[in-house]
Amino acid sequence: MTVWSRIRDHALSLFFLALFAAALIGQSIAGYLRNNDELVEHGQATIGFLDFVWSSDFAVDVAENWQSEFLQFFLFIAATIWFVQRGSPESKKPRDEGPGSDADQLVGRHARPDSPRWARAGGWRAAVFGNSLLIVMGAVFLLSWLAQSLAGTVVMNAENAQHGAAAITWLDYVVSPDFWDRTLQNWQSEFLAVGTMVAFAIYLRQRGSAESKPVGTPHHTSASESD
């Protein structure tokens, strides 16, 4: 297999990885300039770029976005096990709710020779592998949420010190309006985006996209029903 073939086979992942890197670098530069502008306004010395990138100010902004994104996918993956939306390509068809049988999922004795090893093994290994996507998404969400809360505590205590206020603990910050303002403003946008994608895809089409039904599929029919 040539290098170009490998790139083509993984082009979707590489495309979004490149966008992520570009956006993160752009965020770090913009945040660095903004932070130094604020320091100058308060008569304080500016800091270097690497000092900003390793600061809690940058970490809290990055982590609060990450945790909301991974929460979005965690909930969407979990919800699509048990809930359906008739006509949406983001949903299974009605009456297909649930985790499915071992035969449907190619688990244990129903696995194919080329199935993943843990799927062929059955038992607890198949159970773990069968829920591994949800487990990893949930773990990344929790770690990002923890990073956001820890970095946010440091940022708030720095602001408190500037205003002569007492320092607060991590638990104080986690129940503070500042933490939940940062958190909920991200959550509501993620939930809105997922909900509108599920609903819009019932009636709207994008030819050639895996996230859309075929153009001529009836509105009430899901992509899986049209196969």
Side-chain angles (χ1 to χ4, degrees):
M1 182 178 291
T2 65
V3 173
W4 174 245
S5 296
R6 290 181 180 275
I7 292 175
R8 183 189 59 199
D9 289 348
H10 301 284
L12 189 59
S13 297
L14 293 173
F15 174 70
F16 280 101
L17 179 61
L19 288 180
F20 163 73
L24 185 62
I25 292 170
Q27 178 190 354
S28 67
I29 294 171
Y32 165 69
L33 296 174
R34 174 191 56 79
N35 185 72
N36 276 345
D37 285 344
E38 292 176 355
L39 291 175
V40 170
E41 288 177 5
H42 290 86
Q44 299 177 6
T46 59
I47 63 174
F49 177 72
L50 290 180
D51 290 329
F52 172 74
V53 170
W54 288 106
S55 71
S56 295
D57 287 287
F58 183 63
V60 70
D61 289 338
V62 172
E64 74 179 45
N65 285 301
W66 287 20
Q67 60 92 0
S68 64
E69 295 292 344
F70 281 97
L71 175 64
Q72 171 196 161
F73 283 109
F74 174 83
L75 292 178
F76 187 62
I77 293 165
T80 53
I81 299 172
W82 299 104
F83 300 114
V84 298
Q85 176 59 59
R86 179 180 291 278
S88 176
E90 304 296 328
S91 167
K92 296 184 291 188
K93 61 185 179 182
R95 295 178 298 280
D96 274 356
E97 298 91 339
S101 66
D102 286 355
D104 293 333
Q105 295 294 317
L106 304 178
V107 173
R109 62 187 180 86
H110 302 285
R112 305 188 320 194
D114 59 348
S115 294
R117 183 164 56 89
W118 277 37
R120 286 185 276 114
W124 69 268
R125 286 178 292 181
V128 170
F129 184 68
N131 295 282
S132 56
L133 184 59
L134 201 61
I135 292 170
V136 170
M137 289 293 182
V140 176
F141 159 67
L142 290 175
L143 290 173
S144 300
W145 180 87
L146 178 62
Q148 175 197 347
S149 64
L150 292 172
T153 304
V154 175
V155 171
M156 175 159 280
N157 279 333
E159 293 175 353
N160 286 346
Q162 290 177 350
H163 295 87
I168 63 171
T169 66
W170 175 76
L171 286 176
D172 290 331
Y173 180 69
V174 167
V175 298
S176 71
D178 181 80
F179 175 76
W180 286 105
D181 177 55
R182 283 178 171 271
T183 298
L184 293 174
Q185 67 177 300
N186 283 285
W187 287 8
Q188 55 88 12
S189 62
E190 303 300 342
F191 299 154
L192 176 64
V194 172
T196 53
M197 179 63 183
V198 169
F200 286 176
I202 300 172
Y203 302 103
L204 305 177
R205 307 287 188 272
Q206 179 52 60
R207 184 169 185 156
S209 174
E211 297 303 309
S212 170
K213 296 184 288 188
V215 177
T217 301
H219 293 322
H220 64 274
T221 304
S222 70
S224 60
E225 292 175 300
S226 65
D227 293 339

